[in-house]
Amino acid sequence: MNEEAAIMAVLADVPDPEIPAVSVLDLGIVRGIEGGKVIVTPTYSGCPATAVISLSIEEALRRRGVTRARVKSQLSPAWTTDWISP
């Protein structure tokens, strides 16, 4: 498994802090992996959970041995409910 696939597998188990039954991947806030950075788009620009989500992602990755990845918030394009997985 390549590093990007390994990171995505970890993210599938990181819950959204406000709706724990939904992972950050299911919520659609993970936009991709670029240069070892997990690109995350918060559900809105002032989302108070953004810091918690970033910390949760980085901690989950470290527990799985992925130490180089970091989280980068990106506000554009704006998140939409269309990104939530079925």
Side-chain angles (χ1 to χ4, degrees):
M1 179 183 304
N2 67 31
E3 185 177 41
E4 184 173 331
I7 290 171
M8 294 302 270
V10 171
L11 298 177
D13 292 331
V14 175
D16 173 69
E18 296 178 308
I19 310 169
V22 178
S23 77
V24 294
L25 283 183
D26 292 333
L27 188 58
I29 63 172
V30 176
R31 305 308 312 143
I33 313 290
E34 292 178 6
K37 291 186 177 159
V38 178
I39 309 301
V40 175
T41 298
T43 53
Y44 63 97
S45 63
C47 179
T50 301
V52 173
I53 290 169
S54 294
L55 183 61
S56 296
I57 288 171
E58 288 179 356
E59 286 177 348
L61 291 169
R62 276 195 297 274
R63 280 194 306 272
R64 299 273 183 90
V66 181
T67 58
R68 294 182 336 153
R70 297 291 176 258
V71 177
K72 175 184 172 189
S73 288
Q74 176 178 304
L75 298 177
S76 179
W79 178 84
T80 170
T81 56
D82 292 340
W83 295 351
I84 298 173
S85 68

